[in-house]
PDB file of all heavy atoms in Angstrom:
ATOM      1  N   GLY B 547      -4.853 -13.780 -10.930  1.00 93.00           N
ATOM      2  CA  GLY B 547      -3.763 -13.117 -11.538  1.00 93.00           C
ATOM      3  C   GLY B 547      -3.921 -11.637 -11.710  1.00 93.00           C
ATOM      4  O   GLY B 547      -4.858 -11.058 -11.219  1.00 93.00           O
ATOM      5  N   GLN B 548      -2.984 -10.991 -12.426  1.00 95.00           N
ATOM      6  CA  GLN B 548      -3.051  -9.572 -12.714  1.00 95.00           C
ATOM      7  C   GLN B 548      -3.078  -9.446 -14.241  1.00 95.00           C
ATOM      8  O   GLN B 548      -2.277  -9.929 -14.921  1.00 95.00           O
ATOM      9  CB  GLN B 548      -1.870  -8.892 -12.149  1.00 95.00           C
ATOM     10  CG  GLN B 548      -1.710  -8.996 -10.670  1.00 95.00           C
ATOM     11  CD  GLN B 548      -0.603  -8.119 -10.106  1.00 95.00           C
ATOM     12  OE1 GLN B 548      -0.309  -8.201  -8.916  1.00 95.00           O
ATOM     13  NE2 GLN B 548       0.053  -7.273 -10.923  1.00 95.00           N
ATOM     14  N   PHE B 549      -4.084  -8.705 -14.659  1.00 96.00           N
ATOM     15  CA  PHE B 549      -4.266  -8.634 -16.096  1.00 96.00           C
ATOM     16  C   PHE B 549      -4.363  -7.239 -16.665  1.00 96.00           C
ATOM     17  O   PHE B 549      -4.290  -6.959 -17.831  1.00 96.00           O
ATOM     18  CB  PHE B 549      -5.549  -9.335 -16.509  1.00 96.00           C
ATOM     19  CG  PHE B 549      -5.545 -10.739 -15.960  1.00 96.00           C
ATOM     20  CD1 PHE B 549      -6.298 -11.099 -14.886  1.00 96.00           C
ATOM     21  CD2 PHE B 549      -4.812 -11.709 -16.695  1.00 96.00           C
ATOM     22  CE1 PHE B 549      -6.220 -12.429 -14.372  1.00 96.00           C
ATOM     23  CE2 PHE B 549      -4.770 -12.980 -16.231  1.00 96.00           C
ATOM     24  CZ  PHE B 549      -5.474 -13.367 -15.074  1.00 96.00           C
ATOM     25  N   GLY B 550      -4.524  -6.263 -15.783  1.00 96.00           N
ATOM     26  CA  GLY B 550      -4.800  -4.896 -16.161  1.00 96.00           C
ATOM     27  C   GLY B 550      -3.539  -4.018 -16.307  1.00 96.00           C
ATOM     28  O   GLY B 550      -2.428  -4.478 -15.991  1.00 96.00           O
ATOM     29  N   THR B 551      -3.678  -2.916 -16.937  1.00 97.00           N
ATOM     30  CA  THR B 551      -2.598  -1.935 -17.034  1.00 97.00           C
ATOM     31  C   THR B 551      -3.099  -0.657 -16.279  1.00 97.00           C
ATOM     32  O   THR B 551      -4.107  -0.137 -16.664  1.00 97.00           O
ATOM     33  CB  THR B 551      -2.322  -1.605 -18.492  1.00 97.00           C
ATOM     34  OG1 THR B 551      -2.226  -2.851 -19.222  1.00 97.00           O
ATOM     35  CG2 THR B 551      -1.043  -0.752 -18.641  1.00 97.00           C
ATOM     36  N   ARG B 552      -2.368  -0.288 -15.269  1.00 97.00           N
ATOM     37  CA  ARG B 552      -2.794   0.808 -14.448  1.00 97.00           C
ATOM     38  C   ARG B 552      -2.834   2.115 -15.340  1.00 97.00           C
ATOM     39  O   ARG B 552      -1.991   2.292 -16.192  1.00 97.00           O
ATOM     40  CB  ARG B 552      -1.894   1.024 -13.277  1.00 97.00           C
ATOM     41  CG  ARG B 552      -1.992  -0.111 -12.272  1.00 97.00           C
ATOM     42  CD  ARG B 552      -1.064  -0.117 -11.173  1.00 97.00           C
ATOM     43  NE  ARG B 552      -1.014  -1.382 -10.571  1.00 97.00           N
ATOM     44  CZ  ARG B 552      -0.930  -1.532  -9.202  1.00 97.00           C
ATOM     45  NH1 ARG B 552      -0.924  -0.517  -8.417  1.00 97.00           N
ATOM     46  NH2 ARG B 552      -0.857  -2.770  -8.705  1.00 97.00           N
ATOM     47  N   GLY B 553      -3.822   2.847 -15.112  1.00 97.00           N
ATOM     48  CA  GLY B 553      -4.034   4.029 -15.939  1.00 97.00           C
ATOM     49  C   GLY B 553      -4.770   3.799 -17.200  1.00 97.00           C
ATOM     50  O   GLY B 553      -5.187   4.767 -17.862  1.00 97.00           O
ATOM     51  N   LEU B 554      -4.844   2.543 -17.570  1.00 97.00           N
ATOM     52  CA  LEU B 554      -5.452   2.206 -18.919  1.00 97.00           C
ATOM     53  C   LEU B 554      -6.606   1.312 -18.898  1.00 97.00           C
ATOM     54  O   LEU B 554      -7.735   1.617 -19.447  1.00 97.00           O
ATOM     55  CB  LEU B 554      -4.347   1.567 -19.772  1.00 97.00           C
ATOM     56  CG  LEU B 554      -4.668   1.451 -21.274  1.00 97.00           C
ATOM     57  CD1 LEU B 554      -4.867   2.826 -21.924  1.00 97.00           C
ATOM     58  CD2 LEU B 554      -3.561   0.705 -21.974  1.00 97.00           C
ATOM     59  N   GLY B 555      -6.485   0.200 -18.222  1.00 98.00           N
ATOM     60  CA  GLY B 555      -7.628  -0.765 -18.109  1.00 98.00           C
ATOM     61  C   GLY B 555      -7.241  -2.125 -18.561  1.00 98.00           C
ATOM     62  O   GLY B 555      -6.027  -2.532 -18.396  1.00 98.00           O
ATOM     63  N   TYR B 556      -8.162  -2.922 -19.046  1.00 98.00           N
ATOM     64  CA  TYR B 556      -7.877  -4.295 -19.434  1.00 98.00           C
ATOM     65  C   TYR B 556      -7.916  -4.436 -20.964  1.00 98.00           C
ATOM     66  O   TYR B 556      -8.746  -3.840 -21.655  1.00 98.00           O
ATOM     67  CB  TYR B 556      -8.855  -5.259 -18.787  1.00 98.00           C
ATOM     68  CG  TYR B 556      -8.833  -5.219 -17.329  1.00 98.00           C
ATOM     69  CD1 TYR B 556      -9.632  -4.265 -16.623  1.00 98.00           C
ATOM     70  CD2 TYR B 556      -7.989  -6.009 -16.524  1.00 98.00           C
ATOM     71  CE1 TYR B 556      -9.663  -4.247 -15.201  1.00 98.00           C
ATOM     72  CE2 TYR B 556      -7.997  -5.957 -15.187  1.00 98.00           C
ATOM     73  CZ  TYR B 556      -8.824  -5.067 -14.550  1.00 98.00           C
ATOM     74  OH  TYR B 556      -8.802  -4.968 -13.180  1.00 98.00           O
ATOM     75  N   ASP B 557      -7.065  -5.360 -21.504  1.00 98.00           N
ATOM     76  CA  ASP B 557      -7.163  -5.746 -22.886  1.00 98.00           C
ATOM     77  C   ASP B 557      -8.342  -6.717 -23.056  1.00 98.00           C
ATOM     78  O   ASP B 557      -8.325  -7.797 -22.497  1.00 98.00           O
ATOM     79  CB  ASP B 557      -5.877  -6.330 -23.327  1.00 98.00           C
ATOM     80  CG  ASP B 557      -5.887  -6.694 -24.807  1.00 98.00           C
ATOM     81  OD1 ASP B 557      -6.530  -7.600 -25.165  1.00 98.00           O
ATOM     82  OD2 ASP B 557      -5.239  -5.954 -25.555  1.00 98.00           O
ATOM     83  N   VAL B 558      -9.291  -6.331 -23.830  1.00 98.00           N
ATOM     84  CA  VAL B 558     -10.546  -7.073 -23.980  1.00 98.00           C
ATOM     85  C   VAL B 558     -10.269  -8.575 -24.376  1.00 98.00           C
ATOM     86  O   VAL B 558     -10.678  -9.549 -23.769  1.00 98.00           O
ATOM     87  CB  VAL B 558     -11.570  -6.439 -24.928  1.00 98.00           C
ATOM     88  CG1 VAL B 558     -12.654  -7.379 -25.277  1.00 98.00           C
ATOM     89  CG2 VAL B 558     -12.083  -5.177 -24.399  1.00 98.00           C
ATOM     90  N   GLU B 559      -9.516  -8.696 -25.442  1.00 98.00           N
ATOM     91  CA  GLU B 559      -9.225 -10.013 -25.943  1.00 98.00           C
ATOM     92  C   GLU B 559      -8.423 -10.890 -24.959  1.00 98.00           C
ATOM     93  O   GLU B 559      -8.787 -12.014 -24.716  1.00 98.00           O
ATOM     94  CB  GLU B 559      -8.441  -9.943 -27.333  1.00 98.00           C
ATOM     95  CG  GLU B 559      -8.049 -11.279 -27.869  1.00 98.00           C
ATOM     96  CD  GLU B 559      -8.255 -11.356 -29.386  1.00 98.00           C
ATOM     97  OE1 GLU B 559      -8.358 -10.253 -29.993  1.00 98.00           O
ATOM     98  OE2 GLU B 559      -8.313 -12.437 -29.876  1.00 98.00           O
ATOM     99  N   GLU B 560      -7.357 -10.240 -24.365  1.00 98.00           N
ATOM    100  CA  GLU B 560      -6.508 -11.043 -23.503  1.00 98.00           C
ATOM    101  C   GLU B 560      -7.291 -11.444 -22.279  1.00 98.00           C
ATOM    102  O   GLU B 560      -7.225 -12.654 -21.861  1.00 98.00           O
ATOM    103  CB  GLU B 560      -5.315 -10.128 -23.084  1.00 98.00           C
ATOM    104  CG  GLU B 560      -4.323 -10.822 -22.218  1.00 98.00           C
ATOM    105  CD  GLU B 560      -3.417  -9.765 -21.533  1.00 98.00           C
ATOM    106  OE1 GLU B 560      -3.305  -8.600 -22.003  1.00 98.00           O
ATOM    107  OE2 GLU B 560      -2.784 -10.108 -20.525  1.00 98.00           O
ATOM    108  N   LEU B 561      -8.015 -10.581 -21.650  1.00 98.00           N
ATOM    109  CA  LEU B 561      -8.762 -10.925 -20.457  1.00 98.00           C
ATOM    110  C   LEU B 561      -9.750 -12.006 -20.795  1.00 98.00           C
ATOM    111  O   LEU B 561      -9.922 -12.977 -20.022  1.00 98.00           O
ATOM    112  CB  LEU B 561      -9.451  -9.691 -19.871  1.00 98.00           C
ATOM    113  CG  LEU B 561     -10.183  -9.949 -18.557  1.00 98.00           C
ATOM    114  CD1 LEU B 561      -9.223 -10.466 -17.503  1.00 98.00           C
ATOM    115  CD2 LEU B 561     -10.822  -8.665 -18.055  1.00 98.00           C
ATOM    116  N   GLY B 562     -10.485 -11.902 -21.928  1.00 97.00           N
ATOM    117  CA  GLY B 562     -11.444 -12.893 -22.336  1.00 97.00           C
ATOM    118  C   GLY B 562     -10.828 -14.271 -22.437  1.00 97.00           C
ATOM    119  O   GLY B 562     -11.361 -15.280 -21.959  1.00 97.00           O
ATOM    120  N   LYS B 563      -9.617 -14.270 -22.998  1.00 96.00           N
ATOM    121  CA  LYS B 563      -8.899 -15.513 -23.216  1.00 96.00           C
ATOM    122  C   LYS B 563      -8.526 -16.125 -21.925  1.00 96.00           C
ATOM    123  O   LYS B 563      -8.658 -17.308 -21.681  1.00 96.00           O
ATOM    124  CB  LYS B 563      -7.664 -15.271 -24.120  1.00 96.00           C
ATOM    125  CG  LYS B 563      -6.747 -16.508 -24.250  1.00 96.00           C
ATOM    126  CD  LYS B 563      -6.364 -16.733 -25.697  1.00 96.00           C
ATOM    127  CE  LYS B 563      -5.451 -17.983 -25.791  1.00 96.00           C
ATOM    128  NZ  LYS B 563      -5.553 -18.896 -24.665  1.00 96.00           N
ATOM    129  N   MET B 564      -8.012 -15.288 -20.963  1.00 96.00           N
ATOM    130  CA  MET B 564      -7.624 -15.806 -19.671  1.00 96.00           C
ATOM    131  C   MET B 564      -8.822 -16.419 -18.900  1.00 96.00           C
ATOM    132  O   MET B 564      -8.673 -17.518 -18.371  1.00 96.00           O
ATOM    133  CB  MET B 564      -7.102 -14.671 -18.785  1.00 96.00           C
ATOM    134  CG  MET B 564      -5.737 -14.037 -19.214  1.00 96.00           C
ATOM    135  SD  MET B 564      -4.585 -15.216 -19.837  1.00 96.00           S
ATOM    136  CE  MET B 564      -3.598 -15.406 -18.389  1.00 96.00           C
TER     137      MET B 564
END
Side-chain angles (χ1 to χ4, degrees):
Chain B
Q548 298 186 188
F549 306 101
T551 311
R552 292 173 196 223
L554 190 63
Y556 301 90
D557 182 287
V558 170
E559 175 140 19
E560 185 197 340
L561 183 57
K563 173 131 182 21
M564 293 318 263

